Structures are given as C-alpha cells and as structure tokens.
Amino acid sequence: MVKCCSAVGCASRCLPHSKLRGLTFHVFPTDENMKRKWVLAMKRLDVNAAGIWEPKKGDVLCSRHFKKTDFDRSAPNIKLKPGVVPSVFDSPHHIQEKREKLHCRKNFTIKTVPVTDHTHQEHSYSVMDSPKKLKHKLDHVICELENTKESLQNVLDREKHFQNSLRKTIRELKEECLISQETASRLDSFCWECCPERGK
C-alpha cells in the first residue's frame, strides 16, 4: 500500500524510488507525549470532527518536514534522532501571502462581472478555500489509485501462478499415466478458458 505524507498540502508519496531522491518517511511516535508534539506542530485540523487531526496507525510524515540536523545518518538506514519534532511546514505568514495573491486574482476577475457586495464576499471565501480542499482530495484519489493498481497487480500475479501450477500438475499426472489423454486435454482447455489473456 502506497503511503502518503500526512502534512497539509504535501503530495509526497512513499514510492520505490523515493529513497533515491533522498526522501524518507517516518511513522508517528508511539509515545503519546511525543506524538502530541508532532500533531500540534503540523497544525492540521480535522474538518469532520471539528478539532485537531489525530494520526491513525501507519500514518507518516516525510523527511521534508524535518531539519537536516534531525536525522541520524550514521547507519545505512537513515532514521530520526530521539526526541525530534517536525518543524518545516508552511508558516502562517507564508499561507497568508498565498491567500493575498489569490485574493488579488479574484478581485481582478470579479471587476469584469457586476455583482453585489454580498455575492462578492461569498465568492471570496469559496475561491480562497477551494484550491486547498481540491488539492487534498486529489492527493487522496492518487493514493487510492496507487493502492488499487498495486492490489490488481497482486491479483494478476496470483492468477498467473495458479495457472502455471495447475498446468504443471496436469502435465505430471499425464506423464505418470494417472489421467487419460482426454482428461488432460479437458483440464488443459479449462486453464486457457479461465485466463485466456494470460495464456497468450
């Protein structure tokens, strides 16, 4: 299953080539106090529970949210030093700058369309918040797609393995004269009918 970084606005995914790019992924601490520090540092809200987001088992943060000095690189596998807390996130000032730029673009567009002040205010809220929500949904869809592709590949691999094993068994039974030629032919035809595309 492909893991995605839990930080808001981060699209990092744990893929086979991630380590080659210097990107590592780290699970949340089991110690409740340390886990709480990580969660508070993220400043992520749970829109469904109307409170602070809580990580689930298997949730991770990528190395982009830690300082270089937070890592222990003495061993082949890079790991975090004990007690470190993620600190590299979009600051409130940085987020405010993005909102101001978006607000300016929105004002420029609305000037060409006559609207009331009430409509302008509602539209402003929608334009400022929609990109973040859409980005979050897009990241979720990408993760689900990767997981589905991985599951499908596993099913196809198991199917191919089953077909090969069955054909081998039929061949061995035929060589030992434990089944007739007619039975062997029928079983062999069954293998091709079950998975015609894989047998081509």
Side-chain angles (χ1 to χ4, degrees), residues 21-126:
R21 295 163 47 199
L23 192 62
T24 55
F25 291 79
H26 308 274
V27 297
F28 283 75
T30 55
D31 180 78
E32 289 299 325
N33 290 331
M34 282 302 302
K35 181 167 69 174
R36 192 66 176 173
K37 290 181 180 180
W38 280 38
V39 172
L40 292 176
M42 293 172 62
K43 296 181 176 65
R44 175 174 172 176
L45 299 179
D46 189 337
V47 294
N48 295 321
I52 297 177
W53 173 82
E54 290 293 338
K56 298 181 180 63
K57 183 178 180 180
D59 285 343
V60 295
L61 279 180
C62 74
S63 53
R64 291 175 176 168
H65 305 291
F66 297 87
K67 296 180 291 187
K68 293 182 178 180
T69 54
D70 290 340
F71 296 95
D72 180 1
R73 304 178 187 275
S74 59
N77 292 328
I78 300 175
K79 59 182 181 180
L80 292 171
K81 294 179 180 178
V84 301
V85 177
S87 57
V88 184
F89 300 98
D90 280 346
S91 65
H93 176 69
H94 182 60
I95 295 175
Q96 183 62 30
E97 285 183 347
K98 288 183 179 180
R99 289 184 174 179
E100 289 176 355
K101 290 180 180 179
L102 188 60
H103 187 69
C104 289
R105 293 176 184 175
K106 177 266 307 177
N107 284 339
F108 177 78
T109 303
I110 291 180
K111 285 179 181 178
T112 61
V113 182
V115 293
T116 63
D117 291 340
H118 179 69
T119 304
H120 171 80
Q121 292 174 358
E122 291 183 351
H123 186 63
S124 172
Y125 177 82
S126 175

Side-chain angles (χ1 to χ4, degrees), residues 134-149:
L134 291 174
K135 180 65 168 57
H136 180 71
K137 289 182 179 179
L138 178 60
D139 292 342
H140 179 73
V141 171
I142 291 174
C143 285
E144 290 295 327
L145 178 60
E146 292 291 342
N147 293 337
T148 303
K149 288 171 62 179

